[in-house]
Amino acid sequence: DAKTTQPTSMDCAEGRAANLPCNHSTISGNEYVYWYRQIHSQGPQYIIHGLKNNETNEMASLIITEDRKSSTLILPHATLRDTAVYYCIVRVRTGANNLFFGTGTRLTVIP
Amino acid sequence: GAVVSQHPSWVICKSGTSVKIECRSLDFQATTMFWYRQFPKQSLMLMATSNEGSKATYEQGVEKDKFLINHASLTLSTLTVTSAHPEDSSFYICSAQANNNYGYTFGSGTRLTVV
């Protein structure tokens, strides 16, 4: 699976949009971009995933660049409960292979 | 859908004893489950891949005789930490893949403290 690079930490004001970047310059054509987050002392939670088109769900939006070498997770209106470590993972969608977790980005939403 | 239940959520045990952690897929069948370990302020590290009806595959550096994995059914995998020591104190998390679009679903984790 391709390696990803994320900033170690970010702050965001409550109510503002949180934009979390991820670089995955070695991504392969069949690899998807997945985002998970982990709130303190809980298991990771799925947020969103995409291949090359931008995606949106009730939690977030995922913007993938045209060359697919980077992406941005957008939380449109951050709340205090969004404070967590956010992991960007790239992997093929099929097959029972594990998820490789990098160091992620620690997002702190500030009141 | 795609719920993974992990039990217990926390456990304290004495050094030298064994502890069993259960991971259940509640509304789907999982032929493969994964066990991760997470130390404070670190990321998740894969320990082993649990395969239903066959032996688990362990990552390099993980002692298979110390971390016993049993995956006897399509909805249950167990991790037993044998002869636990304080250095085994960690947050253990399981995951499984449902046959949907959401990648992997994770359990809520088990905080193990060995005293």
Side-chain angles (χ1 to χ4, degrees), chain B residues 35 50-51 54 56 58 68-73 76-80:
Chain B
W35 288 96
S50 171
N51 303 297
S54 64
Y58 291 82
L68 301 179
I69 292 174
N70 184 282
H71 193 158
S73 78
L76 174 64
S77 175
T78 62
L79 168 68
T80 301

Side-chain angles (χ1 to χ4, degrees), chain A residues 34 36 38 40-46 49 57 87 91 93-104 106, chain B residues 32 34 36 38 41-46 49 59 91 93 97 100-109 111:
Chain A
Y34 284 84
Y36 285 78
Q38 186 179 24
H40 183 63
S41 293
Q42 297 183 24
Q45 175 191 21
Y46 166 85
H49 78 281
N57 63 19
Y87 296 99
R91 68 177 292 274
R93 184 172 165 184
T94 58
N97 48 315
N98 63 289
L99 293 175
F100 172 76
F101 287 83
T103 53
R106 183 174 297 278
Chain B
T32 302
F34 302 95
Y36 293 82
Q38 185 176 33
K41 298 190 184 300
Q42 295 185 23
S43 189
L44 285 76
M45 295 298 294
L46 180 69
T49 302
E59 295 299 300
F91 192 52
I93 308 167
Q97 184 179 27
N100 58 25
N101 293 328
Y102 303 119
Y104 288 84
T105 302
F106 288 81
S108 55
R111 172 83 51 198

Side-chain angles (χ1 to χ4, degrees), chain A residues 56-77:
Chain A
T56 296
N57 63 19
E58 64 278 6
M59 289 183 68
S61 294
L62 174 60
I63 309 298
I64 302 174
T65 58
E66 191 170 345
D67 62 8
R68 301 207 327 122
K69 293 185 176 181
S70 65
S71 61
T72 301
L73 177 74
I74 302 173
L75 308 179
H77 305 285

Side-chain angles (χ1 to χ4, degrees), chain B residues 19 23 25-26 33 47 53 74-75 80 85 87 97 99 104:
Chain B
V19 173
C23 181
S25 54
L26 296 186
M33 292 185 177
M47 298 177 65
L74 288 171
T75 59
T80 301
H85 291 286
E87 56 264 33
Q97 184 179 27
N99 198 17
Y104 288 84

